[in-house]
Amino acid sequence: MRSKLFLIGLAFTFIAACNHPVETPTGSSIPDNGWLFLGEAPYTLNTKVNAAPGPASFCLVTDRSLMGEPEVIKEADAAIAADSTLCVELGTLEPGFYQVRLRDSVRFNIGVQPDAVVSAPDAQPDFNAFWERTFAELETIPLEPEWVEIPEYSNELRSSFDVFYKSLGGETTGCTVCIPNAPGKYPVYLQYMGYGAAPFRFDPSANPERIDILVSVRGQGIFKKAAERWICQGLADKDTYYYRGAFCDVKRAVDFAASLEKADTDKIVALGESQGGAFTFIAAATDRRIKVAAPAVPFLGDYPDYARIVDWPMNQVFEEADRLGIGREDLFRTLSYFDVKNFAPRITCPVIMAFGLQDPTCPPHTNFSIYNNLGTRDKRFVCVPTCGHAMWLEPAWPPIRDAFFSKICVNL
């Protein structure tokens, strides 16, 4: 069954509902009959499930206990009705995310007041000094872009190029650009890529009214030669860690976008999913030229809790730390310099964030560890309760995101 759209923030769900959508301060949902509860307790889980009718064991556990001994919040004997409906009184629940365990095989997540989840920043005392020093070093490196036209993705409306320029440490990084041929100033859509994602080309006929840029950070995108454990590279020290350079590549892409003669620098927007969602937040946190940001299922938020909810990729980080003889306390201290939630208070531009309630890769708690620490008050979220990590496959998300962009940019 297709998702039904409810605007909030926004929430999608395919769950059979007994009541009409209810407006809340954060938007609208069906707080007592769906999987995302935005209203006040008590809560009732009333939903269709993919299970045979009859008696069923019911267990509710916290998401932050999934990698250890599950913390059981509620156990009950339940019954699945002939129409496959499950109805369980949940009572009062703290804001956060939970896993429903029905019988031995049915598993799904629910959320309660996600914008009230507390995940306080844990930045080290020299966090700001570290990044000021890093970005000062970046500024000493000339951009020096080199353009290579891609004729097969160019036409009378827009022309496509691969562009290469320098970033931190003299590393070559770059992007794919599709730019209108007609004179004038154009909004810039700065798109960041997921972890190890394959690059693609923009259709030159698709959006002739804007400049599209697909950013490749070091070792990834158009520079990717093989699948690598980027998240483990240089882990021994914060000065050598992979994401120090990658975050500089994110900021350098904003430098490039703003340098374009046809760029309307009052209308540079950032977007991306997964690692690209994290990069979108980093771009907005480190450069005020980003006027609006649309991250989806963002990566790299709240490393300590991340490790309590999902296995990959923190299992790889732990393996590398053990190989290097790095203890857990020292490891998480290093990672805190690259935890996106510690950048969140710096973000003052409007933000719309999408997340999947069933995401096993970048779980909702880690998304909201960033979102709930944002410095901006102009923020919305989009929830797809039935979606896992693949927000890019949800057809409703791009038009919602683009409408948010258009509304903000028109008012600039």
Side-chain angles (χ1 to χ4, degrees):
M1 194 181 296
R2 288 299 306 161
S3 297
K4 225 188 234 186
L5 178 63
F6 299 103
L7 182 62
I8 70 180
L10 300 153
F12 298 77
T13 181
F14 72 0
I15 299 164
C18 301
N19 296 328
H20 295 294
V22 176
E23 293 294 327
T24 75
T26 52
S28 66
S29 184
I30 304 175
D32 293 330
N33 300 295
W35 292 348
L36 182 67
F37 300 101
L38 299 180
E40 298 297 326
Y43 305 116
T44 300
L45 182 65
N46 188 355
T47 182
K48 293 290 184 82
V49 294
N50 185 21
S57 60
F58 176 90
C59 182
L60 189 70
V61 303
T62 62
D63 63 334
R64 286 186 289 174
S65 67
L66 294 178
M67 289 296 102
E69 183 67 27
E71 180 185 354
V72 177
I73 301 300
K74 182 179 180 64
E75 289 184 293
D77 293 326
I80 301 172
D83 65 352
S84 297
T85 297
L86 172 71
C87 187
V88 178
E89 298 293 335
L90 300 178
T92 300
L93 295 173
E94 292 296 318
F97 300 94
Y98 303 84
Q99 185 182 81
V100 172
R101 298 182 172 185
L102 187 64
R103 294 178 177 154
D104 293 330
S105 57
V106 178
R107 302 282 189 274
F108 60 92
N109 300 332
I110 65 172
V112 175
Q113 298 183 13
D115 56 350
V117 172
V118 176
S119 184
D122 58 0
Q124 300 300 312
D126 65 339
F127 178 88
N128 289 334
F130 171 76
W131 284 107
E132 287 171 6
R133 172 172 60 84
T134 295
F135 293 138
E137 182 179 339
L138 176 66
E139 289 177 3
T140 66
I141 300 168
L143 190 64
E144 298 179 344
E146 297 181 7
W147 295 66
V148 178
E149 186 170 5
I150 312 299
E152 59 269 35
Y153 286 90
S154 302
N155 62 17
E156 70 281 0
L157 295 176
R158 295 197 298 174
S159 295
S160 294
F161 303 85
D162 282 343
V163 184
F164 306 93
Y165 43 78
K166 298 298 183 182
S167 185
L168 189 72
E171 187 89 12
T172 298
T173 185
C175 57
T176 295
V177 183
C178 195
I179 189 166
N181 295 325
K185 296 288 186 179
Y186 298 89
V188 181
Y189 275 48
L190 198 56
Q191 184 165 340
Y192 294 97
M193 299 176 66
Y195 192 74
F200 60 88
R201 303 291 182 186
F202 294 105
D203 179 352
S205 299
N207 296 289
E209 76 292 346
R210 75 189 195 204
I211 299 170
D212 281 310
I213 299 176
L214 182 66
V215 180
S216 291
V217 299
R218 58 193 62 202
Q220 298 190 51
I222 58 178
F223 304 103
K224 180 183 172 184
K225 296 179 181 177
E228 297 183 38
R229 294 184 174 189
W230 295 283
I231 197 170
C232 299
Q233 292 178 9
L235 194 58
D237 189 273
K238 64 181 182 293
D239 281 306
T240 60
Y241 188 48
Y242 173 80
Y243 280 107
R244 179 174 184 250
F247 285 3
C248 285
D249 300 346
V250 166
K251 183 172 174 59
R252 179 108 295 191
V254 185
D255 292 338
F256 170 74
S259 75
L260 296 174
E261 182 180 352
K262 292 184 178 180
D264 183 340
T265 54
D266 286 330
K267 296 180 180 180
I268 301 177
V269 305
L271 63 152
E273 293 105 5
S274 193
Q275 177 187 254
F279 287 168
T280 297
F281 275 131
I282 293 299
T286 60
D287 203 310
R288 294 297 174 88
R289 290 174 294 186
I290 299 297
K291 302 304 181 182
V292 57
V297 292
F299 192 30
L300 307 178
D302 199 341
Y303 286 98
D305 279 350
Y306 202 149
R308 299 169 64 185
I309 301 172
V310 297
D311 184 40
W312 184 90
M314 288 305 296
N315 64 324
Q316 295 182 351
V317 175
F318 288 156
E319 288 173 6
E320 179 66 3
D322 291 344
R323 188 186 71 82
L324 296 171
I326 302 171
R328 293 294 186 263
E329 184 176 348
D330 289 339
L331 171 65
F332 284 119
R333 183 181 299 110
T334 295
L335 293 176
S336 71
Y337 290 90
F338 309 94
D339 193 326
V340 181
K341 77 174 182 180
N342 292 330
F343 287 87
R346 299 181 173 201
I347 297 175
T348 58
C349 71
V351 171
I352 185 168
M353 182 187 80
F355 75 102
L357 193 53
Q358 310 306 317
D359 194 337
T361 305
C362 297
H365 173 86
T366 66
N367 305 157
F368 279 89
S369 72
I370 306 167
Y371 181 89
N372 289 344
N373 285 302
L374 291 174
T376 182
R377 293 186 177 182
D378 189 354
K379 60 183 182 179
R380 301 287 184 273
F381 63 81
V382 176
C383 175
V384 185
T386 58
C387 182
H389 190 58
M391 188 61 62
W392 51 91
L393 298 180
E394 290 293 330
W397 165 231
I400 294 166
R401 177 197 65 207
D402 291 349
F404 189 79
F405 282 165
S406 296
K407 177 183 176 182
I408 299 299
C409 287
V410 164
N411 294 328
L412 290 176

